[in-house]
PDB file of all heavy atoms in Angstrom:
ATOM      1  N   ALA A 181      83.490  96.006 106.281  1.00  0.00           N
ATOM      2  CA  ALA A 181      84.452  96.432 105.253  1.00  0.00           C
ATOM      3  C   ALA A 181      83.753  97.196 104.134  1.00  0.00           C
ATOM      4  O   ALA A 181      84.276  98.205 103.639  1.00  0.00           O
ATOM      5  CB  ALA A 181      85.185  95.219 104.689  1.00  0.00           C
ATOM      6  N   ALA A 182      82.586  96.728 103.741  1.00  0.00           N
ATOM      7  CA  ALA A 182      81.828  97.418 102.690  1.00  0.00           C
ATOM      8  C   ALA A 182      81.461  98.837 103.125  1.00  0.00           C
ATOM      9  O   ALA A 182      81.565  99.791 102.331  1.00  0.00           O
ATOM     10  CB  ALA A 182      80.567  96.628 102.346  1.00  0.00           C
ATOM     11  N   SER A 183      81.079  98.984 104.378  1.00  0.00           N
ATOM     12  CA  SER A 183      80.742 100.319 104.900  1.00  0.00           C
ATOM     13  C   SER A 183      81.964 101.231 104.901  1.00  0.00           C
ATOM     14  O   SER A 183      81.863 102.427 104.614  1.00  0.00           O
ATOM     15  CB  SER A 183      80.180 100.200 106.326  1.00  0.00           C
ATOM     16  OG  SER A 183      78.972  99.472 106.341  1.00  0.00           O
ATOM     17  N   LEU A 184      83.120 100.655 105.217  1.00  0.00           N
ATOM     18  CA  LEU A 184      84.353 101.443 105.255  1.00  0.00           C
ATOM     19  C   LEU A 184      84.790 101.864 103.850  1.00  0.00           C
ATOM     20  O   LEU A 184      85.266 102.985 103.644  1.00  0.00           O
ATOM     21  CB  LEU A 184      85.461 100.656 105.949  1.00  0.00           C
ATOM     22  CG  LEU A 184      85.199 100.332 107.429  1.00  0.00           C
ATOM     23  CD1 LEU A 184      86.276  99.414 107.977  1.00  0.00           C
ATOM     24  CD2 LEU A 184      85.105 101.609 108.254  1.00  0.00           C
ATOM     25  N   ILE A 185      84.599 100.983 102.892  1.00  0.00           N
ATOM     26  CA  ILE A 185      84.912 101.337 101.497  1.00  0.00           C
ATOM     27  C   ILE A 185      83.979 102.452 101.032  1.00  0.00           C
ATOM     28  O   ILE A 185      84.408 103.416 100.381  1.00  0.00           O
ATOM     29  CB  ILE A 185      84.793 100.102 100.585  1.00  0.00           C
ATOM     30  CG1 ILE A 185      85.886  99.088 100.930  1.00  0.00           C
ATOM     31  CG2 ILE A 185      84.909 100.505  99.111  1.00  0.00           C
ATOM     32  CD1 ILE A 185      85.713  97.742 100.261  1.00  0.00           C
ATOM     33  N   ALA A 186      82.715 102.330 101.388  1.00  0.00           N
ATOM     34  CA  ALA A 186      81.738 103.364 101.021  1.00  0.00           C
ATOM     35  C   ALA A 186      82.098 104.712 101.637  1.00  0.00           C
ATOM     36  O   ALA A 186      81.811 105.765 101.064  1.00  0.00           O
ATOM     37  CB  ALA A 186      80.335 102.940 101.453  1.00  0.00           C
ATOM     38  N   ALA A 187      82.768 104.664 102.808  1.00  0.00           N
ATOM     39  CA  ALA A 187      83.135 105.906 103.502  1.00  0.00           C
ATOM     40  C   ALA A 187      84.463 106.482 103.025  1.00  0.00           C
ATOM     41  O   ALA A 187      84.871 107.553 103.466  1.00  0.00           O
ATOM     42  CB  ALA A 187      83.208 105.650 105.009  1.00  0.00           C
ATOM     43  N   GLY A 188      85.165 105.761 102.134  1.00  0.00           N
ATOM     44  CA  GLY A 188      86.379 106.344 101.574  1.00  0.00           C
ATOM     45  C   GLY A 188      87.644 105.512 101.666  1.00  0.00           C
ATOM     46  O   GLY A 188      88.703 105.920 101.165  1.00  0.00           O
ATOM     47  N   ALA A 189      87.586 104.322 102.293  1.00  0.00           N
ATOM     48  CA  ALA A 189      88.768 103.459 102.332  1.00  0.00           C
ATOM     49  C   ALA A 189      89.032 102.913 100.931  1.00  0.00           C
ATOM     50  O   ALA A 189      88.113 102.503 100.235  1.00  0.00           O
ATOM     51  CB  ALA A 189      88.554 102.307 103.312  1.00  0.00           C
ATOM     52  N   ASP A 190      90.301 102.895 100.516  1.00  0.00           N
ATOM     53  CA  ASP A 190      90.694 102.430  99.180  1.00  0.00           C
ATOM     54  C   ASP A 190      91.377 101.070  99.325  1.00  0.00           C
ATOM     55  O   ASP A 190      92.558 100.995  99.672  1.00  0.00           O
ATOM     56  CB  ASP A 190      91.651 103.440  98.553  1.00  0.00           C
ATOM     57  CG  ASP A 190      92.056 103.091  97.131  1.00  0.00           C
ATOM     58  OD1 ASP A 190      91.954 101.904  96.756  1.00  0.00           O
ATOM     59  OD2 ASP A 190      92.491 104.000  96.393  1.00  0.00           O
ATOM     60  N   PRO A 191      90.671  99.956  99.046  1.00  0.00           N
ATOM     61  CA  PRO A 191      91.236  98.614  99.262  1.00  0.00           C
ATOM     62  C   PRO A 191      92.522  98.361  98.488  1.00  0.00           C
ATOM     63  O   PRO A 191      93.458  97.767  99.031  1.00  0.00           O
ATOM     64  CB  PRO A 191      90.120  97.685  98.780  1.00  0.00           C
ATOM     65  CG  PRO A 191      88.879  98.488  98.877  1.00  0.00           C
ATOM     66  CD  PRO A 191      89.288  99.901  98.565  1.00  0.00           C
ATOM     67  N   GLU A 192      92.587  98.789  97.246  1.00  0.00           N
ATOM     68  CA  GLU A 192      93.771  98.542  96.428  1.00  0.00           C
ATOM     69  C   GLU A 192      94.995  99.246  97.014  1.00  0.00           C
ATOM     70  O   GLU A 192      96.069  98.655  97.151  1.00  0.00           O
ATOM     71  CB  GLU A 192      93.542  99.013  94.992  1.00  0.00           C
ATOM     72  CG  GLU A 192      94.752  98.786  94.086  1.00  0.00           C
ATOM     73  CD  GLU A 192      94.538  99.292  92.673  1.00  0.00           C
ATOM     74  OE1 GLU A 192      93.537 100.004  92.426  1.00  0.00           O
ATOM     75  OE2 GLU A 192      95.376  98.996  91.807  1.00  0.00           O
ATOM     76  N   TYR A 193      94.826 100.505  97.383  1.00  0.00           N
ATOM     77  CA  TYR A 193      95.924 101.289  97.940  1.00  0.00           C
ATOM     78  C   TYR A 193      96.392 100.691  99.266  1.00  0.00           C
ATOM     79  O   TYR A 193      97.607 100.521  99.487  1.00  0.00           O
ATOM     80  CB  TYR A 193      95.474 102.727  98.146  1.00  0.00           C
ATOM     81  CG  TYR A 193      96.447 103.584  98.928  1.00  0.00           C
ATOM     82  CD1 TYR A 193      97.616 104.055  98.344  1.00  0.00           C
ATOM     83  CD2 TYR A 193      96.189 103.911 100.262  1.00  0.00           C
ATOM     84  CE1 TYR A 193      98.512 104.843  99.053  1.00  0.00           C
ATOM     85  CE2 TYR A 193      97.080 104.700 100.985  1.00  0.00           C
ATOM     86  CZ  TYR A 193      98.236 105.156 100.388  1.00  0.00           C
ATOM     87  OH  TYR A 193      99.127 105.916 101.104  1.00  0.00           O
ATOM     88  N   ILE A 194      95.459 100.346 100.139  1.00  0.00           N
ATOM     89  CA  ILE A 194      95.811  99.824 101.452  1.00  0.00           C
ATOM     90  C   ILE A 194      96.515  98.476 101.328  1.00  0.00           C
ATOM     91  O   ILE A 194      97.537  98.230 101.976  1.00  0.00           O
ATOM     92  CB  ILE A 194      94.557  99.707 102.341  1.00  0.00           C
ATOM     93  CG1 ILE A 194      94.005 101.113 102.657  1.00  0.00           C
ATOM     94  CG2 ILE A 194      94.871  98.961 103.641  1.00  0.00           C
ATOM     95  CD1 ILE A 194      92.666 101.110 103.336  1.00  0.00           C
ATOM     96  N   PHE A 195      95.995  97.592 100.476  1.00  0.00           N
ATOM     97  CA  PHE A 195      96.612  96.278 100.293  1.00  0.00           C
ATOM     98  C   PHE A 195      98.040  96.414  99.766  1.00  0.00           C
ATOM     99  O   PHE A 195      98.960  95.724 100.219  1.00  0.00           O
ATOM    100  CB  PHE A 195      95.781  95.423  99.337  1.00  0.00           C
ATOM    101  CG  PHE A 195      96.254  93.997  99.252  1.00  0.00           C
ATOM    102  CD1 PHE A 195      95.767  93.042 100.135  1.00  0.00           C
ATOM    103  CD2 PHE A 195      97.198  93.603  98.316  1.00  0.00           C
ATOM    104  CE1 PHE A 195      96.210  91.721 100.082  1.00  0.00           C
ATOM    105  CE2 PHE A 195      97.653  92.292  98.257  1.00  0.00           C
ATOM    106  CZ  PHE A 195      97.148  91.351  99.141  1.00  0.00           C
ATOM    107  N   LYS A 196      98.232  97.316  98.815  1.00  0.00           N
ATOM    108  CA  LYS A 196      99.565  97.515  98.255  1.00  0.00           C
ATOM    109  C   LYS A 196     100.537  97.995  99.319  1.00  0.00           C
ATOM    110  O   LYS A 196     101.683  97.517  99.399  1.00  0.00           O
ATOM    111  CB  LYS A 196      99.513  98.512  97.103  1.00  0.00           C
ATOM    112  CG  LYS A 196     100.867  98.731  96.426  1.00  0.00           C
ATOM    113  CD  LYS A 196     100.761  99.639  95.212  1.00  0.00           C
ATOM    114  CE  LYS A 196     102.108  99.809  94.535  1.00  0.00           C
ATOM    115  NZ  LYS A 196     102.035 100.686  93.340  1.00  0.00           N
ATOM    116  N   GLN A 197     100.115  98.944 100.148  1.00  0.00           N
ATOM    117  CA  GLN A 197     100.985  99.469 101.193  1.00  0.00           C
ATOM    118  C   GLN A 197     101.345  98.396 102.211  1.00  0.00           C
ATOM    119  O   GLN A 197     102.478  98.347 102.716  1.00  0.00           O
ATOM    120  CB  GLN A 197     100.306 100.644 101.906  1.00  0.00           C
ATOM    121  CG  GLN A 197     100.038 101.849 101.026  1.00  0.00           C
ATOM    122  CD  GLN A 197     101.299 102.426 100.421  1.00  0.00           C
ATOM    123  OE1 GLN A 197     102.303 102.607 101.106  1.00  0.00           O
ATOM    124  NE2 GLN A 197     101.265 102.699  99.132  1.00  0.00           N
ATOM    125  N   LEU A 198     100.402  97.519 102.509  1.00  0.00           N
ATOM    126  CA  LEU A 198     100.622  96.503 103.533  1.00  0.00           C
ATOM    127  C   LEU A 198     101.426  95.310 103.038  1.00  0.00           C
ATOM    128  O   LEU A 198     102.294  94.794 103.753  1.00  0.00           O
ATOM    129  CB  LEU A 198      99.272  96.000 104.074  1.00  0.00           C
ATOM    130  CG  LEU A 198      98.461  96.980 104.917  1.00  0.00           C
ATOM    131  CD1 LEU A 198      97.087  96.388 105.217  1.00  0.00           C
ATOM    132  CD2 LEU A 198      99.188  97.323 106.216  1.00  0.00           C
ATOM    133  N   TYR A 199     101.149  94.849 101.830  1.00  0.00           N
ATOM    134  CA  TYR A 199     101.668  93.553 101.410  1.00  0.00           C
ATOM    135  C   TYR A 199     102.535  93.549 100.158  1.00  0.00           C
ATOM    136  O   TYR A 199     103.157  92.538  99.851  1.00  0.00           O
ATOM    137  CB  TYR A 199     100.494  92.587 101.202  1.00  0.00           C
ATOM    138  CG  TYR A 199      99.641  92.409 102.433  1.00  0.00           C
ATOM    139  CD1 TYR A 199      98.318  92.824 102.455  1.00  0.00           C
ATOM    140  CD2 TYR A 199     100.174  91.850 103.590  1.00  0.00           C
ATOM    141  CE1 TYR A 199      97.521  92.665 103.588  1.00  0.00           C
ATOM    142  CE2 TYR A 199      99.399  91.695 104.733  1.00  0.00           C
ATOM    143  CZ  TYR A 199      98.075  92.100 104.721  1.00  0.00           C
ATOM    144  OH  TYR A 199      97.314  91.948 105.848  1.00  0.00           O
ATOM    145  N   GLU A 200     102.582  94.630  99.429  1.00  0.00           N
ATOM    146  CA  GLU A 200     103.318  94.616  98.172  1.00  0.00           C
ATOM    147  C   GLU A 200     104.466  95.620  98.137  1.00  0.00           C
ATOM    148  O   GLU A 200     105.037  95.872  97.080  1.00  0.00           O
ATOM    149  CB  GLU A 200     102.362  94.873  97.000  1.00  0.00           C
ATOM    150  CG  GLU A 200     101.317  93.764  96.851  1.00  0.00           C
ATOM    151  CD  GLU A 200     100.384  93.991  95.693  1.00  0.00           C
ATOM    152  OE1 GLU A 200     100.417  95.094  95.096  1.00  0.00           O
ATOM    153  OE2 GLU A 200      99.604  93.073  95.378  1.00  0.00           O
ATOM    154  N   GLU A 201     104.786  96.176  99.287  1.00  0.00           N
ATOM    155  CA  GLU A 201     105.877  97.150  99.380  1.00  0.00           C
ATOM    156  C   GLU A 201     106.821  96.698 100.491  1.00  0.00           C
ATOM    157  O   GLU A 201     106.809  97.221 101.591  1.00  0.00           O
ATOM    158  CB  GLU A 201     105.319  98.549  99.682  1.00  0.00           C
ATOM    159  CG  GLU A 201     104.393  99.099  98.613  1.00  0.00           C
ATOM    160  CD  GLU A 201     105.134  99.777  97.467  1.00  0.00           C
ATOM    161  OE1 GLU A 201     106.277 100.184  97.702  1.00  0.00           O
ATOM    162  OE2 GLU A 201     104.579  99.865  96.372  1.00  0.00           O
ATOM    163  N   GLN A 202     107.661  95.692 100.223  1.00  0.00           N
ATOM    164  CA  GLN A 202     108.559  95.154 101.238  1.00  0.00           C
ATOM    165  C   GLN A 202     110.002  95.539 100.934  1.00  0.00           C
ATOM    166  O   GLN A 202     110.449  95.410  99.789  1.00  0.00           O
ATOM    167  CB  GLN A 202     108.448  93.627 101.300  1.00  0.00           C
ATOM    168  CG  GLN A 202     107.111  93.127 101.807  1.00  0.00           C
ATOM    169  CD  GLN A 202     107.110  91.620 101.997  1.00  0.00           C
ATOM    170  OE1 GLN A 202     108.026  90.928 101.575  1.00  0.00           O
ATOM    171  NE2 GLN A 202     106.080  91.113 102.640  1.00  0.00           N
ATOM    172  N   PRO A 203     110.743  95.994 101.952  1.00  0.00           N
ATOM    173  CA  PRO A 203     112.166  96.310 101.734  1.00  0.00           C
ATOM    174  C   PRO A 203     112.967  95.038 101.478  1.00  0.00           C
ATOM    175  O   PRO A 203     112.588  93.942 101.908  1.00  0.00           O
ATOM    176  CB  PRO A 203     112.578  96.976 103.051  1.00  0.00           C
ATOM    177  CG  PRO A 203     111.620  96.458 104.063  1.00  0.00           C
ATOM    178  CD  PRO A 203     110.316  96.263 103.335  1.00  0.00           C
ATOM    179  N   LEU A 204     114.084  95.195 100.788  1.00  0.00           N
ATOM    180  CA  LEU A 204     114.924  94.057 100.436  1.00  0.00           C
ATOM    181  C   LEU A 204     115.351  93.265 101.674  1.00  0.00           C
ATOM    182  O   LEU A 204     115.385  92.024 101.648  1.00  0.00           O
ATOM    183  CB  LEU A 204     116.163  94.549  99.678  1.00  0.00           C
ATOM    184  CG  LEU A 204     117.172  93.471  99.256  1.00  0.00           C
ATOM    185  CD1 LEU A 204     116.526  92.471  98.316  1.00  0.00           C
ATOM    186  CD2 LEU A 204     118.398  94.124  98.616  1.00  0.00           C
TER     187      LEU A 204
END
Side-chain angles (χ1 to χ4, degrees):
S183 297
L184 296 173
I185 293 170
D190 183 338
E192 180 182 11
Y193 170 75
I194 293 171
F195 188 88
K196 182 175 182 180
Q197 296 300 314
L198 291 173
Y199 302 115
E200 296 181 351
E201 298 276 338
Q202 293 186 349
L204 179 61

